Amino acid sequence: MLRYFAMAQHPDRSVWTVLTPRDSTALMPLLRTFGIRVIRDGTEFVHNTALHIVAPTGRLVGIVPITEVENALSLAAAQTGPTP
């Protein structure tokens, strides 16, 4: 379901990476690792929002409130090193 939602948003692939678990057994550890809380609301799901910064190595380096975009961008830029 997340895959279809992400595709509908038309994310710029040079900026965004949307990952989905390969099956339902992989979902819970992923939610725990990234601090995501999900609540069923009828037939829909509601979840907390944040920007998750992941290093090129795949390590989670920060979870930033959605309102702190500049901080998230700075943290992400620090993971790639200086621009030549």
Side-chain angles (χ1 to χ4, degrees):
M1 185 180 295
L2 179 59
R3 180 179 329 128
Y4 301 115
F5 175 79
M7 289 171 30
Q9 305 309 306
H10 306 286
D12 179 345
R13 291 180 186 226
S14 68
V15 177
W16 297 99
T17 301
V18 178
L19 302 175
T20 58
R22 64 185 164 276
D23 58 45
S24 60
T25 59
L27 179 60
M28 290 311 293
L30 184 65
L31 294 175
R32 275 194 304 275
T33 298
F34 286 91
I36 299 171
R37 307 273 186 241
V38 179
I39 301 169
R40 180 172 230 130
D41 183 17
T43 59
E44 303 281 321
F45 292 93
V46 178
H47 59 82
N48 57 328
T49 57
L51 299 168
H52 295 74
I53 312 305
V54 180
T57 60
R59 183 176 61 88
L60 176 65
V61 294
I63 300 174
V64 179
I66 196 80
T67 57
E68 296 181 17
V69 174
E70 291 301 320
N71 289 340
L73 290 171
S74 294
L75 184 57
Q79 303 311 307
T80 61
T83 306

